[in-house]
């Protein structure tokens, strides 16, 4: 059977079939090759109320949000920092599984460890909220490739894709 849409074709398991190994404080942890969608559920919990926070930030009086206004939004929700930290731990528990998460917690990751690891996992997973929510009419096209802006302006721009550039050897020296 042929599929019009094959969601298995480009799964991250192809790149990391056994999971994504992460080294932290001398211990290795194996994260799944792709983020299961329900891992993000803690971010959308009523206790965390991230959508309410975003609503308050977007609906400021002057239309722009200053740092002091953002701090005020957080102070109106004194449980927000703890709830957010709990949501992050819940996400890691969902990703690793209960036993591996207990091992992960046993190495006592710091807040900067969580931040660095989260950023690195986002990069590996290819999660980019800006791309997820971009408009449908963004710059993708089925039209022909664009031509160079000014092919005569530089000799280092190859005429064809993949052709070699003319450049002197960087380490050439006169003997």
């Amino acid at each position: 059977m042929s599929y019009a849409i094959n969601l298995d074709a480009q799964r991250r398991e192809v790149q990391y079939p056994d999971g994504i190994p992460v080294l932290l404080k001398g211990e290795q942890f194996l994260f799944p090759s792709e983020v299961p969608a329900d891992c993000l559920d803690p971010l959308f919990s009523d206790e965390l109320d991230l959508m309410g926070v975003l609503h308050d930030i977007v609906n400021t009086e002057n239309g722009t949000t200053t740092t002091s206004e953002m701090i005020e939004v957080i102070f109106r929700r004194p449980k927000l920092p703890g709830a957010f930290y709990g949501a992050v731990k819940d996400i890691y528990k969902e990703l690793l599984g209960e036993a591996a998460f207990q091992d992960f917690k046993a190495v006592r990751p710091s807040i900067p460890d969580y931040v660095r690891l989260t950023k690195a996992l986002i990069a590996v997973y290819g999660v980019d909220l800006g791309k997820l929510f971009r408009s449908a009419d963004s710059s993708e096209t089925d039209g022909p490739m664009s031509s160079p802006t000014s092919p005569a302006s530089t000799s280092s721009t190859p005429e064809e894709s993949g052709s070699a550039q003319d450049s002197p050897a960087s380490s050439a020296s006169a003997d």
Side-chain angles (χ1 to χ4, degrees):
M1 174 186 271
S2 174
Y3 296 98
I5 299 172
N6 182 354
L7 293 178
D8 290 335
Q10 297 180 351
R11 293 181 64 93
R12 192 152 328 292
E13 283 90 353
V14 173
Q15 189 175 4
Y16 301 101
D18 299 320
I20 300 167
V22 171
L23 185 64
L24 176 65
K25 298 184 179 181
E27 299 292 325
Q28 181 173 317
F29 301 95
L30 196 59
F31 283 78
S33 297
E34 289 203 339
V35 178
D38 57 355
C39 281
L40 299 180
D41 287 350
L43 290 178
F44 301 109
S45 70
D46 290 338
E47 294 80 31
L48 189 57
D49 189 32
L50 276 185
M51 300 322 291
V53 171
L54 290 173
H55 177 269
D56 287 354
I57 289 172
V58 169
N59 290 320
T60 59
E61 289 182 26
N62 61 3
T64 60
T65 306
T66 64
T67 303
S68 63
E69 289 170 326
M70 289 178 70
I71 291 170
E72 185 178 323
V73 166
I74 292 171
F75 279 130
R76 278 188 261 145
R77 293 174 172 81
K79 295 181 181 181
L80 180 64
F84 184 76
Y85 179 60
V88 169
K89 288 194 305 187
D90 287 346
I91 290 169
Y92 277 86
K93 188 185 304 180
E94 186 71 30
L95 286 169
L96 291 169
E98 185 66 41
F101 179 70
Q102 293 308 319
D103 294 340
F104 180 79
K105 276 183 29 178
V107 300
R108 300 183 48 89
S110 65
I111 291 174
D113 288 335
Y114 274 106
V115 171
R116 285 189 298 271
L117 179 55
T118 300
K119 285 180 177 181
L121 286 172
I122 286 170
V124 171
Y125 285 135
V127 177
D128 184 345
L129 293 179
K131 289 181 182 177
L132 286 176
F133 297 113
R134 72 178 179 208
S135 63
D137 62 344
S138 63
S139 63
E140 293 182 25
T141 180
D142 289 332
M145 302 268 298
S146 62
S147 58
T149 306
S150 58
S153 66
T154 178
S155 62
S156 66
T157 304
E159 289 293 322
E160 297 177 25
S161 175
S163 63
Q165 295 184 0
D166 295 329
S167 62
S170 61
S171 61
S173 62
D175 288 340

